[in-house]
Amino acid sequence: MKKWALFPLFAVLVLLGASLSFTQSNSSRHGVVIVPYSTQELPWDVGVRAHTNHLIMVRPEFTGTSPWGETPGSLSCVYQTQTSVNGVSGCTISGTSDKTLSGGSGIVAIVDAYDYATAAGDFVTFSNQFGLPSGSTCGNGSQPCFSVVYATGRKPKANCGWAQEAALDIEWSHAMAPKAQIVLVEAASNSFANLYAAVDKASCIVSTGVISSSCSGPATKSGEVSMSWGGSESSGELSADSHFTTPGVVYFASSGDTGGKVIYPSASPNVVSAGGTSVSRDSSGNFIGESAWSSGGGGPSSYEPRPGYQNTVLSVVGSKRGTPDFSFDSDPNTGVSVYDSTPCQGWTGWLVFGGTSVAAPSLSGVVNLASHFYSGTTEQSTIYGNLGTSNFSDIRSGSNGYPTLTGWDFATGVGSSMGLIGK
């Protein structure tokens, strides 16, 4: 559990500029938002190394022994992705059952850097808490629900900030697509070179169904690859777009946690850019709507030209690729429950995470649940083809530096999911 007695000391040290893996971002009536070191980008990282996009909500009265954020049931109810929880009055966190979540198929591959030693056990703990499958009952009903693959064939060194990221990613892709096989592909480091190599490995795993670092074979299957990391755009990104082109694989990336800023690979036209919202609840905990998360990434790319699927929003997006495409709860003030038993600067156990690192794996699960296993940019075309339909909630309040508009905008894209897209 969290070593809460140390919290005041950590806060003081952070404010004094001590060298810690966390800094204090801001406080609110909900608690204190912590920015992990792995989520911070240094000037010399641009174009070389990626950062995570997760934030931690800290409240001293919660000790890490039980979950207290949004749950798979509460957000499945909000986004109407599970018929078993649709229509539950208010979609409250405590009053929405998690025990009947089902659906999903194929493989969702999660690409992260470094080794997350407690991944398998944490996946089981999270799954058991919320009534999700955790053993060998996924895929066609007899496949492992969770696996770890080392992209190079060798276990990477550990990094607790990236372990937090991986915990969030594997658990929330599973939360949205409970029957899909979740495969964590660990890159040797957070260099873009190593992460792209891991993406290539993940693409092979998804498209062949061979869950191995020596993956090979015909691309006869399909699924999703989720990337909750990124970095500031650079001129070399155009040459990296080819990593996201495996037939049958839909790629997702976080739009970032700096309001109105564009990051890569979210900016790639071959990737679904996952933006952020804030979930609003009344004093009784009932869901009453969403707004744009003020720190959600988005805007026009500096390098990528507008893809054809965004021609329908030309008047807003202009001549460049616009992000995000669609969005999911990412505000740490309305964050999600995550279990991570790998200690990191005193934090361990049940935590509440925000950031668009919530959006990328969750939306990969939503699309998996909808059985969208497409080639090329067909998924993006499906998203924009459903703009203005009942498949999406058009978010018209809030701002990330760009205003929300009727229809598509740089704050939340087409909006958030309302049921299974195109179903």
Side-chain angles (χ1 to χ4, degrees):
M1 76 175 57
K2 170 72 180 74
K3 300 172 184 176
W4 288 110
L6 297 179
F7 176 71
L9 175 60
F10 274 110
V12 171
L13 289 174
V14 167
L15 293 173
L16 291 176
S19 179
L20 292 175
S21 293
F22 295 89
T23 60
Q24 182 173 303
S25 172
N26 63 283
S27 61
S28 73
R29 63 184 179 88
H30 300 278
V32 177
V33 178
I34 303 297
V35 184
Y37 179 76
S38 62
T39 292
Q40 301 168 44
E41 182 178 75
L42 301 174
W44 47 86
D45 291 335
V46 176
V48 179
R49 283 176 290 274
H51 58 77
T52 62
N53 289 291
H54 72 282
L55 304 169
I56 304 171
M57 170 55 67
V58 173
R59 290 179 66 178
E61 66 267 36
F62 293 99
T63 61
T65 57
S66 60
W68 58 275
E70 296 281 350
T71 70
S74 68
L75 289 184
S76 291
C77 185
V78 165
Y79 294 117
Q80 300 182 20
T81 57
Q82 295 276 353
T83 56
S84 59
V85 294
N86 287 353
V88 174
S89 178
C91 296
T92 58
I93 294 174
S94 61
T96 305
S97 172
D98 299 302
K99 304 301 183 184
T100 53
L101 300 179
S102 62
S105 61
I107 294 174
V108 178
I110 303 298
V111 176
D112 279 313
Y114 303 105
D115 182 48
Y116 171 23
T118 62
D122 292 351
F123 183 87
V124 170
T125 298
F126 179 86
S127 300
N128 290 345
Q129 176 69 39
F130 298 116
L132 303 170
S134 62
S136 56
T137 58
C138 292
N140 63 8
S142 61
Q143 301 298 315
C145 293
F146 178 68
S147 305
V148 178
V149 171
Y150 308 139
T152 65
R154 299 180 61 184
K155 183 169 73 173
K157 64 182 181 180
N159 180 295
C160 69
W162 279 86
Q164 290 176 336
E165 177 63 68
L168 166 60
D169 295 347
I170 64 175
E171 291 168 15
W172 275 84
S173 56
H174 186 47
M176 293 294 106
K179 286 290 187 177
Q181 293 179 261
I182 307 301
V183 179
L184 174 61
V185 182
E186 296 183 341
S189 77
N190 66 324
S191 72
F192 279 111
N194 283 330
L195 284 164
Y196 293 150
V199 168
D200 295 342
K201 190 68 64 179
S203 299
C204 178
I205 290 169
V206 169
S207 64
T208 66
V210 178
I211 303 176
S212 167
S213 61
S214 58
C215 176
S216 64
T220 59
K221 301 184 183 301
S222 52
E224 294 77 27
V225 170
S226 176
M227 304 167 288
S228 285
W229 40 268
S232 296
E233 286 195 282
S234 64
S235 58
E237 69 187 48
L238 295 173
S239 64
D241 287 340
S242 60
H243 289 284
F244 317 116
T245 57
T246 299
V249 179
V250 184
Y251 298 87
F252 295 80
S254 302
S255 68
D257 296 349
T258 302
K261 178 180 177 179
V262 178
I263 65 171
Y264 189 87
S266 166
S268 172
N270 302 328
V271 170
V272 177
S273 176
T277 68
S278 298
V279 168
S280 298
R281 295 186 178 277
D282 64 19
S283 59
S284 298
N286 298 303
F287 171 69
I288 55 175
E290 279 183 286
S291 59
W293 178 42
S294 60
S295 295
S301 170
S302 296
Y303 302 99
E304 302 279 1
R306 184 187 70 252
Y309 55 78
Q310 288 193 320
N311 287 345
T312 56
V313 293
L314 170 62
S315 61
V316 179
V317 75
S319 63
K320 298 294 186 180
R321 156 71 160 138
T323 64
D325 293 314
F326 74 130
S327 298
F328 194 92
D329 179 30
S330 298
D331 185 344
N333 291 305
T334 63
V336 300
S337 300
V338 173
Y339 186 78
D340 176 18
S341 64
T342 295
C344 202
Q345 295 292 353
W347 280 271
T348 187
W350 285 103
L351 303 168
V352 169
F353 284 2
T356 53
S357 282
V358 178
S362 298
L363 291 177
S364 72
V366 169
V367 168
N368 181 282
L369 197 66
S371 300
H372 288 189
F373 304 117
Y374 295 146
S375 296
T377 57
T378 307
E379 179 61 39
Q380 290 91 323
S381 297
T382 300
I383 292 169
Y384 285 86
N386 279 273
L387 176 63
T389 72
S390 60
N391 285 284
F392 294 106
S393 174
D394 185 10
I395 298 168
R396 302 181 187 179
S397 64
S399 167
N400 67 344
Y402 290 98
T404 50
L405 306 170
T406 299
W408 187 91
D409 52 60
F410 290 121
T412 64
V414 300
S416 60
S417 174
M418 287 295 288
L420 301 181
I421 306 162
K423 286 263 179 170

